C-alpha cells in the first residue's frame, strides 16, 4: 500500500493526461509488450493504456497505480482487457508483491516520475524472478549538451510541478543497469505526440534480472 510519504495525488494532471495521451504511441506499446509471457507486474499503470496490447501468453497482470483518478480508469480498462488484469493501489518504492513472484516487469513512462528511481528499480528487481525481464519504455535525458541543459533547467523549475512529478533529464537506461539488470536490447528514438510538444528522446528495451 502507498505510504504517506509517497502518496500520489495529481487529479488535475491525471485528467489532462487521459485526455491528451496519444494513440501515436500504440506501436511502441505493442513492441514493449509483444514478447511477454507468464505473470507480469506493471508499475505505474496509469489509466490502463497498455492493457489491450498484452499478448495471450501473459497469464496475469498485476497493475500497480497510486493515483486514484488513473487507478479508477485503469479498473475500467482492465474489465475490457484480453487477459486477466488486477489493478491495485501501491507505489513503486514498496510494491505490493512477494519476492521473485513475477516472470517479468513493465515500466512504461513511469520511471521519470517516481520520487526515487533507484529504489523503484530495486523493488522491480526484488519481485522479478531470476532470469525474468524488465520491459521498459521511457523518455530520457538528451545526449546533446544543449538539449540536456534545457531539460535540467525545466526539471529544476516548473516541469515536475505541472506534470505530476515527471522529470525530463533522467538517464534511465544507465539507472536500470546500475540497479543490477543486464541490458539485453534497447533503442533510442525521438517522439512527440504532436504540437506544441517538441520531439523528446525515448528509450525502449528489455533488461534481464540475473
Amino acid at each position: 500500500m502507498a505510504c504517506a510519504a509517497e502518496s500520489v495525488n495529481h487529479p488535475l494532471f491525471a485528467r489532462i493526461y487521459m485526455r491528451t495521451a496519444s494513440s501515436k504511441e500504440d506501436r511502441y506499446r505493442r513492441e514493449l509488450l509483444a514478447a511477454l509471457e507468464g505473470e507480469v507486474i506493471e508499475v505505474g499503470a496509469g489509466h490502463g493504456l497498455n492493457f489491450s496490447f498484452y499478448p495471450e501468453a501473459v497469464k496475469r497482470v498485476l497493475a500497480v497505480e497510486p493515483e486514484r483518478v488513473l487507478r479508477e480508469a485503469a479498473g475500467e480498462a482492465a474489465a475490457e482487457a484480453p487477459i486477466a488484469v488486477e489493478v491495485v493501489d501501491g507505489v513503486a518504492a514498496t510494491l505490493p508483491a512477494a519476492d521473485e513472484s513475477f516472470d517479468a516487469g513493465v515500466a512504461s513512462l513511469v520511471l521519470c516520475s517516481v520520487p526515487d528511481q533507484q529504489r523503484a528499480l530495486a523493488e522491480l528487481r526484488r519481485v522479478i524472478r531470476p532470469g525474468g525481464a524488465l520491459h521498459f519504455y521511457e523518455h530520457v535525458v538528451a545526449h546533446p549538451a544543449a538539449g540536456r541543459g534545457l531539460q535540467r533547467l525545466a526539471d529544476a523549475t516548473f516541469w515536475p510541478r505541472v506534470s505530476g512529478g515527471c522529470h525530463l533529464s533522467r538517464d534511465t537506461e544507465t539507472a536500470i543497469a546500475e540497479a543490477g539488470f543486464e541490458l539485453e536490447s534497447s533503442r533510442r528514438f525521438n517522439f512527440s505526440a504532436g504540437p506544441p510538444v517538441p520531439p523528446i528522446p525515448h528509450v525502449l528495451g528489455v533488461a534481464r534480472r540475473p
Side-chain angles (χ1 to χ4, degrees):
M1 297 295 290
C3 57
E6 295 191 44
S7 61
V8 177
N9 183 33
H10 301 296
L12 178 59
F13 169 76
R15 290 183 173 91
I16 293 172
Y17 179 72
M18 287 192 293
R19 288 175 178 267
T20 58
S22 174
S23 61
K24 292 180 180 179
E25 288 183 310
D26 288 356
R27 57 175 171 159
Y28 302 122
R29 296 181 186 277
R30 287 192 181 93
E31 182 179 345
L32 171 73
L33 306 173
L36 286 167
E37 58 184 15
E39 299 197 358
V40 177
I41 184 168
E42 181 176 343
V43 178
H47 58 300
L49 284 177
N50 286 335
F51 296 170
S52 63
F53 301 121
Y54 276 99
E56 292 182 357
V58 172
K59 296 178 182 178
R60 178 178 75 99
V61 175
L62 181 68
V64 182
E65 174 52 52
E67 212 293 320
R68 180 185 59 81
V69 173
L70 293 174
R71 188 170 61 252
E72 290 175 355
E76 296 176 4
E80 304 295 326
I83 47 89
V85 179
E86 179 186 2
V87 179
V88 299
D89 186 8
V91 293
T94 51
L95 291 175
D99 294 357
E100 301 180 1
S101 53
F102 289 91
D103 299 298
V106 171
S108 175
L109 302 178
V110 64
L111 293 174
C112 59
S113 59
V114 294
D116 187 332
Q117 195 177 62
Q118 279 299 323
R119 186 172 171 185
L121 286 165
E123 275 291 275
L124 278 163
R125 191 178 189 279
R126 177 182 70 79
V127 302
I128 295 172
R129 297 182 180 112
L134 172 63
H135 291 231
F136 57 92
Y137 165 48
E138 300 284 342
H139 64 78
V140 290
V141 65
H143 281 163
R148 188 162 58 245
L150 289 173
Q151 287 178 321
R152 288 174 176 165
L153 177 62
D155 284 351
T157 52
F158 70 96
W159 185 249
R161 295 177 175 83
V162 301
S163 60
C166 172
H167 294 76
L168 296 170
S169 62
R170 289 183 173 176
D171 187 357
T172 300
E173 189 173 7
T174 296
I176 290 170
E178 289 177 347
F181 289 94
E182 297 176 352
L183 290 170
E184 193 169 274
S185 65
S186 69
R187 66 184 184 91
R188 289 177 62 100
F189 55 92
N190 291 331
F191 173 78
S192 170
V197 179
I200 296 172
H202 285 64
V203 64
L204 191 155
V206 177
R208 192 69 55 181
R209 196 257 206 220

